[in-house]
Amino acid sequence: MFLVVIYGVLWCQSVWAHLGSGMMLGLLWMQSAYVGHDSGHYVVMTNKGFNKLAQIVAGNCLTGISIAWWKWTHNAHHIACNSLDHDPDLQHMPVFAVSSRFFNSITSRFYGRELKFDSLARFLISYQHWTFYPVMCIARINLYVQTFLLLFSTKRSVPDRALNIIGILVFWTWFPLLVSCLPNCGERIMFVLASFAVCSIQHIQFCLNHFAANVYLGKPSGNDWFEKQTSGTLDISCVTWMDWFFGGLQFQLEHHLFPRLPRCQLRQISPLVQALCKKHNLPYRSLSFWEANRWTIRTLRKAALQARDLTNPAPQNLLWEAVNTHG
């Protein structure tokens, strides 16, 4: 796919070829992220050295997102799935809030700071069910920023920091260079936006797996870890030949219960997980991609309407009062 993208940009003159190359790059980023995800959970190569190389190439060099940042956040996500104060994958203030509990300005135990619900947060969250898809189209920018913040942080110890930085430099060498080879500014913007838009499908998928599921405060303790995993995840049903597109992560619950199990085995154990959940009266939810989108938007809309409630005190400003004025 990478060679096809290069060929489309360098040797094709058609604007449609350049648009297709941008879309192909977005698809490449999706598949490369799945390889990084697989190699981050377990050894997919012949030894750990080659596995680390796969992580750096698939993550840092090809996608521009550090595997060190991914491990830092993803491990916490698996340990405390859908905990509002411990799971970083739900902490998107001030842009998104999946629960009205965020309106109490809770403290993130992961980032070690308060997630403030101020006038800006209230304004943005009030329209989050409208802004969700546009934000997803440019969500990669935030991942790039988070990568740089971690790798160049002086307060946090980062495993293989130098190797991760080298991988990021590789990405920020070839990507701008490739974009600059396009004939004009308009096509360059089109190329970048097309690649971001296609890859946003993956960002949306990750949100679908958790945004509409059950949430809680605190961390799992004792024997409730299994229950927290079942209540905090949603599966996405699809035909077998689409497994490659979702990277196996449409079986989100199966993956959370057995994170080291290769993705090609997740469909095989799905009936066993369903039977186990039924035996212990635990939720097992599998929705179509479109139905999962409906659930997610409904969750965001519910929180948005709660944020608009003017009886819930929060610092106000003239912009908020102008947009939400009475009469």
Side-chain angles (χ1 to χ4, degrees):
M1 286 191 288
F2 189 54
L3 292 177
V4 169
V5 171
I6 293 177
Y7 176 82
V9 171
L10 299 183
W11 282 281
C12 295
Q13 305 301 320
S14 169
V15 64
W16 296 108
H18 295 160
L19 176 61
S21 298
M23 297 173 69
M24 177 65 74
L25 180 58
L27 188 60
L28 165 63
W29 283 341
M30 290 176 62
Q31 295 302 314
S32 186
Y34 291 140
V35 174
H37 178 268
D38 291 346
S39 60
H41 271 292
Y42 47 87
V43 178
V44 300
M45 307 297 282
T46 54
N47 59 58
K48 291 183 178 181
F50 283 125
N51 194 71
K52 182 178 292 186
L53 178 62
Q55 294 175 0
I56 296 297
V57 172
N60 299 47
C61 296
L62 281 178
T63 71
I65 299 171
S66 169
I67 191 69
W69 172 84
W70 176 86
K71 286 183 177 181
W72 177 50
T73 60
H74 201 66
N75 287 343
H77 166 66
H78 270 267
I79 293 170
C81 176
N82 269 34
S83 167
L84 296 178
D85 52 342
H86 284 79
D87 185 355
D89 284 9
L90 289 187
Q91 297 172 0
H92 303 297
M93 297 283 284
V95 182
F96 296 132
V98 298
S99 170
S100 59
R101 297 182 186 180
F102 279 117
F103 304 163
N104 297 322
S105 296
I106 65 175
T107 299
S108 168
R109 303 301 176 185
F110 180 81
Y111 293 110
R113 59 179 172 82
E114 185 182 46
L115 304 174
K116 292 184 179 180
F117 180 65
D118 52 17
S119 56
L120 174 62
R122 168 173 280 182
F123 178 76
L124 295 175
I125 292 170
S126 293
Y127 302 98
Q128 62 180 359
H129 52 304
W130 294 106
T131 60
F132 175 66
Y133 294 112
V135 169
M136 288 296 104
C137 287
I138 57 173
R140 295 192 69 79
I141 297 175
N142 176 57
L143 302 184
Y144 296 147
V145 171
Q146 295 300 321
T147 286
F148 276 96
L149 290 177
L150 177 66
L151 293 184
F152 293 97
S153 170
T154 58
K155 299 179 179 180
R156 187 171 299 278
S157 175
V158 180
D160 302 311
R161 186 193 298 265
L163 190 61
N164 274 268
I165 292 177
I166 291 173
I168 293 300
L169 292 178
V170 169
F171 173 82
W172 287 109
T173 299
W174 73 258
F175 182 53
L177 192 61
L178 183 67
V179 173
S180 69
C181 292
L182 291 165
N184 55 66
C185 185
E187 289 198 24
R188 291 166 191 160
I189 295 175
M190 175 195 70
F191 179 86
V192 172
L193 290 180
S195 60
F196 278 27
V198 170
C199 196
S200 70
I201 299 174
Q202 186 179 67
H203 303 314
I204 292 170
Q205 176 194 343
F206 294 158
C207 295
L208 301 185
N209 288 138
H210 296 286
F211 271 25
N214 300 29
V215 296
Y216 64 99
L217 281 170
K219 57 185 178 181
S221 59
N223 294 325
D224 71 344
W225 179 85
F226 186 93
E227 297 178 14
K228 291 293 192 294
Q229 300 295 326
T230 58
S231 65
T233 54
L234 294 175
D235 280 10
I236 299 175
S237 60
C238 72
V239 293
T240 305
W241 56 269
M242 281 293 287
D243 285 353
W244 69 275
F245 185 80
F246 292 107
L249 297 183
Q250 73 275 23
F251 296 107
Q252 189 70 192
L253 175 56
E254 289 79 357
H255 170 62
H256 268 257
L257 295 179
F258 307 100
R260 291 181 180 270
L261 192 68
R263 70 165 96 162
C264 58
Q265 306 295 339
L266 294 174
R267 184 175 287 274
Q268 305 301 320
I269 69 163
S270 181
L272 304 178
V273 173
Q274 292 182 47
L276 186 63
C277 290
K278 183 177 180 180
K279 176 182 178 181
H280 295 283
N281 196 30
L282 294 173
Y284 182 93
R285 293 160 293 196
S286 182
L287 308 173
S288 70
F289 184 79
W290 306 113
E291 188 66 17
N293 272 271
R294 286 181 57 191
W295 279 39
T296 299
I297 294 300
R298 186 170 60 199
T299 298
L300 293 174
R301 182 177 183 274
K302 179 181 177 181
L305 296 179
Q306 291 171 329
R308 295 181 190 182
D309 182 6
L310 296 181
T311 62
N312 183 17
Q316 302 295 309
N317 57 32
L318 291 177
L319 175 61
W320 173 265
E321 292 179 2
V323 173
N324 294 276
T325 187
H326 292 276

